[in-house]
Amino acid sequence: MRVELTEVTLEVEDSGGSGPAVLLVHGFPDTHDCWRHQVPALNAAGYRTIAPDLRGFGGSDRPAETAAYAPARSAADLLELLDRLGVGRVHLVGHDWGSGIAQGLAMAAPDRVASLSLLSVGHRGALADAGWEQRSRSWYMLLFQHEGVAEEWLLRDGAAHAREFLTEHPDADEVVERLSEPGALTAALAVYRAGLPPRALFGPEVPLPPLPGPVLGMWSTGDRFLTERAMTGTEKYVAGSWRYERVEGAGHWLQLEAPERVNASLLGFFADHA
């Protein structure tokens, strides 16, 4: 369904009835469909799931200005979405950029978050603390800053470089087809341009508030983009309880590659913090 908000209209999958709510926040370059293995499992366990396409992705609106994709604006979208749906507190789950946006929501409105689960991406302070190995894995973030150059490079020769970037993605062909639509890739990359400009990546550290606990962090051993230290170091930035789980054998898109493990972890964490 489509939900009209103040700034944008979002495409949202809302299912599972009136049980405790779980808000599932996807990352780059995905849509709410990346949670397709979690939604039925959570619904079967009695949870209501709310899985939107973030602004700029999938069926949601694509604002023209890069500044519209600042993570804080997406976090505000999610809070307004919960209000429109009449939802108070949620178990909040984010993957990749969705993890960063979920963290922003949790810091802005901790009373709305029963628990916070971070898949692949930890606290920004932990990313900075992870040192040169993490910075070398994040090289593409600088490429993505260059509008026009990044789009042409990724889609050149039948999107060969985009396909290489998405090597482990189970839906790589569908993602490439979607990002090849006019304006889609620029909108998707805008979250990097608005949220992680070079100053944020390499400038002086800006103190960030801690995350309200309880927090679950999950990292997979086959993740080419993120080091384990960038997740485990998140514990330093959590005010409250912290749990870390290591998923063996899966790549960056662990919720698609190891759904049973991810589902079991989420359900156990939610049950512990009902």
Side-chain angles (χ1 to χ4, degrees):
M1 66 179 181
R2 291 181 66 75
V3 179
E4 185 176 352
L5 307 177
T6 302
E7 292 189 352
V8 292
T9 297
L10 301 184
E11 182 68 28
V12 182
E13 180 185 23
D14 182 358
S15 61
S18 59
V22 181
L23 179 59
L24 299 161
V25 189
H26 71 82
F28 176 89
D30 295 307
T31 69
H32 74 272
D33 189 57
C34 76
W35 302 111
R36 63 183 180 271
H37 300 307
Q38 284 65 56
V39 167
L42 294 172
N43 292 164
Y47 291 94
R48 175 185 181 181
T49 53
I50 302 164
D53 289 349
L54 294 170
R55 57 167 66 195
F57 294 86
S60 293
D61 286 354
R62 300 175 188 166
E65 325 81 47
T66 298
Y69 295 91
R73 301 207 27 199
S74 286
D77 288 345
L78 297 179
L79 282 170
E80 186 178 359
L81 174 63
L82 295 179
D83 291 340
R84 295 291 175 96
L85 297 179
V87 175
R89 298 179 80 228
V90 296
H91 294 287
L92 184 55
V93 183
H95 173 251
D96 188 80
W97 259 107
S99 172
I101 291 167
Q103 291 176 56
L105 188 160
M107 288 187 282
D111 58 314
R112 305 292 293 272
V113 180
S115 71
L116 176 61
S117 298
L118 311 178
L119 276 60
S120 303
V121 171
H123 189 275
R124 189 155 142 189
L127 289 168
D129 294 343
W132 182 252
E133 183 183 358
Q134 180 56 58
R135 291 186 185 279
S136 65
R137 292 197 190 194
S138 300
W139 68 270
Y140 61 91
M141 296 183 186
L142 290 176
L143 168 67
F144 287 177
Q145 302 298 319
H146 298 282
E147 186 168 354
V149 174
E151 286 90 334
E152 191 279 330
W153 185 81
L154 285 166
L155 297 179
R156 186 190 307 164
D157 299 329
H161 293 126
R163 294 180 191 280
E164 186 177 8
F165 183 85
L166 298 167
T167 296
E168 295 87 7
H169 200 306
D171 304 329
D173 289 340
E174 183 277 327
V175 173
V176 168
E177 182 178 358
R178 174 165 44 80
L179 294 180
S180 298
E181 297 172 0
L185 182 53
T186 296
L189 291 173
V191 70
Y192 286 94
R193 293 165 183 163
L196 278 179
R199 183 180 295 104
L201 289 169
F202 297 103
E205 289 188 28
V206 177
L208 296 170
L211 296 171
V215 179
L216 166 67
M218 298 185 71
W219 175 84
S220 42
T221 58
D223 196 320
R224 287 186 296 132
F225 308 108
L226 294 144
T227 64
E228 186 170 23
R229 183 181 170 192
M231 177 58 76
T232 58
T234 300
E235 182 176 13
K236 171 182 171 182
Y237 299 94
V238 174
S241 67
W242 161 257
R243 180 186 301 178
Y244 171 64
E245 296 193 14
R246 189 175 196 255
V247 179
E248 300 286 345
H252 180 67
W253 287 273
L254 66 166
Q255 75 273 44
L256 289 168
E257 298 178 67
E260 292 183 359
R261 171 65 194 279
V262 170
N263 294 349
S265 295
L266 292 176
L267 288 170
F269 189 59
F270 299 165
D272 288 345
H273 301 284

